[in-house]
Amino acid sequence: MSVRILALVGSLRAGSHNRQLAEAAVKFAPEGSDIEIFEGLADIPFYNEDIDVEGSVPAAAAKLRAAAGEADGFLFFSPEYNGTIPAVLKNAIDWLSRPYGASGFGGKPVVVVGTAYGQFGGVWAQDEARKAVGIAGGKVIEELKLSIPGSVVRFAETHPSEDAEVVAQLTEVLSQLKGHAGEAVAA
């Protein structure tokens, strides 16, 4: 049985290096795992309890919740915007944290990785994402981290899937996430 990992990318830009890193994760997914990049974060309205009403949840938010329900684990790709998590990623976490007591994360394993232009590779944003998703009900795997600095220069002419160092680090993270997700399925 294959474990299903739902990938959420915190950048909406078509040429985003975090999107490319997510594509590399799909390409190098370990045998026995399926990584799906969720499409449609830009279509989800900002979380508002007035519109989160049974029977009338916005279609894009319902699609995210359904995809999360089918996932055995989560892989977040977070760039850093002004020292913190991108709004689109935080909004997804907010939608998945509701309804209260029925989190879409359901204690499933979550890993946060990413790349950013700065010298620390988006560490602040990734830490904020870990904090938010942990509060929202995800089982954050704290020891699994990958922060790649200098994205604009490093990936100017090279896709992350062609960078041997990145591929080796990403493959290790994916292998361990698969193990955690497999344990969660078996439990």
Side-chain angles (χ1 to χ4, degrees):
M1 180 175 135
S2 186
V3 296
R4 297 180 60 145
I5 306 297
L6 184 63
L8 302 178
V9 180
S11 175
L12 301 177
R13 188 171 62 85
S16 159
H17 296 121
N18 279 283
R19 173 65 187 217
Q20 292 176 359
L21 191 59
E23 292 166 355
V26 170
K27 180 176 180 178
F28 295 106
E31 188 174 330
S33 66
D34 178 38
I35 298 174
E36 173 195 348
I37 300 172
F38 182 81
E39 303 293 350
L41 288 183
D43 301 326
I44 301 172
F46 281 112
Y47 184 79
N48 176 342
E49 287 183 56
D50 292 341
I51 62 173
D52 188 8
V53 178
E54 191 172 334
S56 63
V57 172
K63 178 183 169 190
L64 174 64
R65 286 178 173 167
E70 295 174 2
D72 300 312
F74 298 88
L75 184 57
F76 283 45
F77 295 85
S78 184
E80 189 167 277
Y81 293 176
N82 298 313
T84 194
I85 184 174
V88 68
L89 202 52
K90 177 63 169 72
N91 189 48
I93 294 168
D94 291 345
W95 275 102
L96 290 174
S97 73
R98 303 286 195 274
Y100 183 77
S103 167
F105 295 109
K108 298 173 187 175
V110 181
V111 171
V112 181
V113 299
T115 184
Y117 177 67
Q119 65 180 338
F120 302 111
V123 170
W124 290 346
Q126 293 161 31
D127 285 346
E128 290 292 320
R130 286 183 193 93
K131 178 177 116 180
V133 79
I135 291 168
K139 181 184 176 190
V140 178
I141 311 301
E142 292 285 349
E143 67 271 13
L144 291 181
K145 297 180 179 179
L146 176 58
S147 302
I148 305 165
S151 61
V152 173
V153 174
R154 184 165 192 162
F155 303 125
E157 297 179 18
T158 304
H159 191 282
S161 66
E162 298 165 355
D163 183 314
E165 181 184 16
V166 168
V167 169
Q169 293 171 332
L170 182 61
T171 301
E172 179 60 27
V173 167
L174 297 175
S175 175
Q176 290 191 41
L177 174 56
K178 177 194 170 207
H180 284 280
E183 290 171 11
V185 170

